[in-house]
Amino acid sequence: MTNPPFPNNNIGYLCTDWQVELGLGAKTALKLIDKDENLSEFSFAQLMDLSNQAANLLASMGLQKGDRIMLLLSKTIEMYAFFLGALKLGLVSSILFNSIGEDSIIERIKDTDTKAIISTTRMNFRLVKVLQKLDPFFRVLLVDQGESDGQFIGIREQFALASTSFVTPATDPEQYSHFHFTSGSTGKPKAVQHCHAAIIDHLRSFEAVMQPNADDLYWCTADPGWVTGTTYGITSPWASGLTQIQLDANYDPALWMRIIERYNVQIFYTAPTVFRMMAQQPEAFYQQYDLSSLKRVYTVGEPLDPNLVLWGRRVFHCEIYDTWFQTETGSIMVANRPGLEVKPGSMGKPLPYLEAAILESQNNFMPDNTQGLLCIRKPWNSMFREYVGNPVVYNNKFLGDFYSSGDIAYRDEDGYFWYIGRSDDVINTAGHLVSPFEIESAVMEVPHVLDCAVAGLPDDLLYEKVVAFVVHDQQAPSLRKLDMDIKLYVSKKVASLASPKEIVFTDKIPKTKSGKVMRRVLKKQYLGQDVGDLSTMEE
Ligand code: ATP
Ligand code: MG
């Protein structure tokens, strides 16, 4: 493990006090925009004071180092203050995405032995039901209420009046910091534990991939309820002393473009699913905006098909960089970045301080251009330290000295990594392994296709057959013709055995709230089986 060069390895301290000590106290840390487009700005000094107040308040509630808490707050200053304050105090916190249902909240609290949740009265209708299922010591701290009522503790005034002085105790890099739940693409979301050492990789991945200048304005659109929204929407930019924009509003292409234009965003980090939604607007729509401030655009979370890279270059007039990582890896592992030529469709190369490899099984490395499990040599600083309460599953994720991501990929002769799919999703048809991503990329190129997902389904003859689930636009000709066009195009572009045996036209592809296709749901629905945990599915 790297020996940290910091005065204190505490993530909360590094995002705030350290920046002030480095002379950035007056610099804007956060430009916070609400859904009505009102802007509030907070300097690093203010962020330091607010997080100190949060730490003092949490301490006064009797919460102690190692206690787990959860935050159920939208992107408001309280969310940032309490997340950073909890880190300073040594609490172990998790930010929940806002639309989470009460059963999922209860399960997550019980599975992780969480002591309290910080929220607002807006969430009371759900939290009342949550409390009925928890022990009487569990507390809900409400940031927008003064008085307390039973387990609901109003902290509005106490927070405002709390002291702005707090000395962050020296923090062991291995001390637990925060935990995330995975997206739940492949099953029930897993609780993934990180520690304070992670900040080292947050910082160096940010430096290696985003390569920001000190005066760049940066915008990461991910929800902090997911790893990207925390690592690249809170900790990396602030521990780097950068000003970032956060928008507390849902996706709306006109609003998003206005924000890039109005505030001159230079570095923009988003997801392929956003690109796919954006690409549904005619390109002329984007020409109405002056997006010339953009220097670089990055995506993460799903494969970025080559066509979307070309679309992004046309619309944003800058390079589009795909990045790959997981909740478990804590920070970007493989990425395109300035200084590396982008091969559209490839995820790029491993970061310089990491070793990535393609393995078939333990000690069994695949040659170049051959598919296998994408693995990372352990340990690294932001590597997860456990699946909370699930040591067996944790241990199964390692193949000797390597962490196995469960994604299938290959490395080409130039050292670039290419994504094929999740190991459970790769399709085994007529004795060949085919990539759902490759087929989806081809299907997306067929006129009138708006969205699509491809899955392998059981077949007596082929073992698995390729089935494409397709959303089409209003102008589509007859579905018979579209069906034929898709099959012919995939056959020509990819391979005849990759051509879908069946096309199911649908209104919507089931996705997680972070925009990932839930193939497990499509498969179960197709087979008429129980679809399992849907807690993270987009409405
Ligand atoms: P669960 O583990 O609960 O099924 P999840 O794997 O979707 O959920 P995350 O950790 O948020 O949860 O997502 C990581 C996964 O996202 C990766 O394993 C990979 O399949 C996919 N992914 C992330 N970035 C990329 C990328 N650039 N290209 C292709 N796939 C990506
Ligand atoms: Mg996963």
Side-chain angles (χ1 to χ4, degrees):
M1 218 67 13
T2 315
N3 197 16
F6 311 126
N8 182 341
N9 203 97
N10 186 287
I11 299 178
Y13 161 85
L14 290 168
C15 289
T16 58
D17 302 51
W18 193 45
Q19 303 308 320
V20 175
E21 286 159 27
L22 292 173
L24 299 181
K27 182 174 177 177
T28 301
L30 176 62
K31 287 178 187 279
L32 187 58
I33 301 166
D34 70 16
K35 62 178 186 346
D36 302 317
E37 295 181 55
N38 298 311
L39 170 74
S40 321
E41 294 195 86
F42 299 89
S43 66
F44 278 102
Q46 285 174 301
L47 213 53
M48 173 180 78
D49 286 351
L50 286 160
S51 55
N52 286 348
Q53 287 177 290
N56 283 322
L57 179 119
L58 293 169
S60 75
M61 297 278 149
L63 289 160
Q64 289 173 359
K65 178 175 158 186
D67 284 346
R68 285 183 197 278
I69 61 162
M70 288 181 183
L71 309 181
L72 183 59
L73 295 164
S74 63
K75 287 181 193 169
T76 53
I77 189 60
E78 288 83 4
M79 197 266 291
Y80 297 102
F82 277 94
F83 181 71
L84 296 170
L87 286 164
K88 287 180 169 181
L89 186 60
L91 307 185
V92 186
S93 66
S94 184
I95 302 174
L96 300 174
F97 60 90
N98 266 256
S99 50
I100 187 168
E102 50 259 16
D103 289 344
S104 307
I105 304 178
I106 295 165
E107 203 164 354
R108 287 171 187 217
I109 289 172
K110 285 186 171 167
D111 287 353
T112 58
D113 191 23
T114 290
K115 300 268 187 299
I117 195 162
I118 304 173
S119 193
T120 65
T121 47
R122 206 161 53 82
M123 301 290 180
N124 274 3
F125 68 102
R126 267 182 258 163
L127 294 169
V128 166
K129 295 182 204 149
V130 168
L131 283 179
Q132 286 165 359
K133 301 274 172 60
L134 298 175
D135 76 44
F137 306 107
F138 191 87
R139 281 172 294 174
V140 176
L141 312 185
L142 296 172
V143 297
D144 59 342
Q145 183 172 296
E147 62 285 357
S148 299
D149 178 13
Q151 287 163 270
F152 286 99
I153 317 286
I155 57 170
R156 190 181 55 208
E157 277 73 34
Q158 278 160 284
F159 176 45
L161 297 172
S163 163
T164 54
S165 306
F166 182 85
V167 179
T168 304
T171 303
D172 185 310
E174 284 302 308
Q175 186 182 310
Y176 282 180
S177 52
H178 59 297
F179 59 115
H180 293 294
F181 291 84
T182 60
S183 303
S185 308
T186 55
K188 185 182 167 195
K190 303 176 277 285
V192 171
Q193 182 63 56
H194 290 287
C195 62
H196 283 269
I199 192 68
I200 299 164
D201 291 349
H202 294 183
L203 271 171
R204 49 184 185 169
S205 60
F206 196 62
E207 181 66 39
V209 180
M210 276 68 185
Q211 303 185 14
N213 288 339
D215 55 358
D216 279 343
L217 180 62
Y218 166 82
W219 183 15
C220 168
T221 66
D223 189 294
W226 310 115
V227 66
T228 305
T230 297
T231 302
Y232 296 104
I234 302 181
T235 60
S236 301
W238 284 341
S240 305
L242 221 63
T243 306
Q244 63 161 327
I245 277 220
Q246 285 294 344
L247 170 66
D248 192 21
N250 292 334
Y251 168 76
D252 166 358
L255 170 61
W256 286 30
M257 294 308 109
R258 266 202 307 282
I259 286 177
I260 293 176
E261 180 181 62
R262 187 175 304 153
Y263 297 102
N264 292 313
V265 173
Q266 266 111 11
I267 303 177
F268 184 54
Y269 196 13
T270 189
T273 186
V274 170
F275 264 37
R276 240 171 275 137
M277 289 191 284
M278 283 183 170
Q280 294 180 9
Q281 305 279 342
E283 285 180 27
F285 169 83
Y286 297 94
Q287 286 158 11
Q288 306 168 64
Y289 301 93
D290 177 2
L291 306 176
S292 59
S293 60
L294 284 174
K295 294 200 293 197
R296 290 187 285 283
V297 173
Y298 296 83
T299 68
V300 66
E302 281 270 280
L304 183 68
D305 34 292
N307 252 354
L308 279 180
V309 175
L310 304 180
W311 172 88
R313 284 175 179 168
R314 283 198 304 276
V315 167
F316 297 120
H317 306 289
C318 65
E319 189 55 283
I320 314 297
Y321 300 92
D322 184 19
T323 67
W324 177 90
F325 75 110
Q326 301 182 304
T327 313
E328 290 87 341
T329 71
S331 60
I332 299 171
M333 300 279 109
V334 177
N336 290 290
R337 50 205 191 253
L340 267 189
E341 188 202 335
V342 174
K343 295 190 186 186
S346 160
M347 308 192 289
K349 292 188 179 184
L351 300 201
Y353 51 89
L354 293 166
E355 183 185 338
I358 303 291
L359 271 79
E360 188 181 32
S361 53
Q362 189 167 336
N363 298 325
N364 211 341
F365 294 83
M366 301 304 266
D368 283 349
N369 295 307
T370 314
Q371 295 179 17
L373 289 161
L374 171 54
C375 298
I376 311 288
R377 185 183 286 279
K378 70 172 191 189
W380 62 96
N381 299 293
S382 67
M383 185 180 93
F384 69 139
R385 297 302 195 261
E386 61 167 317
Y387 283 129
V388 181
N390 218 335
V392 176
V393 180
Y394 183 80
N395 291 329
N396 285 342
K397 294 290 285 193
F398 295 90
L399 297 174
D401 291 337
F402 284 84
Y403 162 73
S404 170
S405 69
D407 285 355
I408 303 289
Y410 67 90
R411 180 174 53 203
D412 71 12
E413 57 289 352
D414 300 324
Y416 284 73
F417 282 70
W418 299 74
Y419 180 84
I420 299 293
R422 295 161 187 271
S423 55
D424 296 344
D425 290 338
V426 171
I427 304 168
N428 186 344
T429 189
H432 293 268
L433 291 182
V434 296
S435 153
F437 164 51
E438 203 181 358
I439 304 173
E440 285 162 7
S441 302
V443 175
M444 290 298 292
E445 288 175 27
V446 177
H448 306 295
V449 172
L450 289 181
D451 205 356
C452 109
V454 165
L457 282 140
D459 185 84
D460 289 343
L461 204 62
L462 303 167
Y463 183 63
E464 284 186 320
K465 63 178 170 188
V466 177
V467 178
F469 299 83
V470 171
V471 181
H472 62 81
D473 66 16
Q474 299 297 325
Q475 289 76 44
S478 76
L479 292 188
R480 261 187 62 197
K481 171 148 183 357
L482 186 54
D483 184 288
M484 224 158 59
D485 288 351
I486 294 172
K487 287 177 178 164
L488 270 175
Y489 189 75
V490 176
S491 183
K492 218 167 58 191
K493 173 106 198 229
V494 186
S496 55
L497 66 92
S499 179
K501 288 284 156 297
E502 204 177 320
I503 294 177
V504 179
F505 291 105
T506 172
D507 293 340
K508 207 171 173 194
I509 304 293
K511 292 189 181 170
T512 64
K513 291 178 200 293
S514 50
K516 295 169 195 288
V517 174
M518 293 174 108
R519 289 188 188 75
R520 67 175 167 100
V521 173
L522 281 171
K523 290 187 197 180
K524 298 274 186 194
Q525 279 171 343
Y526 180 94
L527 298 169
Q529 298 170 350
D530 175 24
V531 291
D533 187 306
L534 294 181
S535 60
T536 58
M537 191 158 102
E538 196 184 52
E539 280 88 46

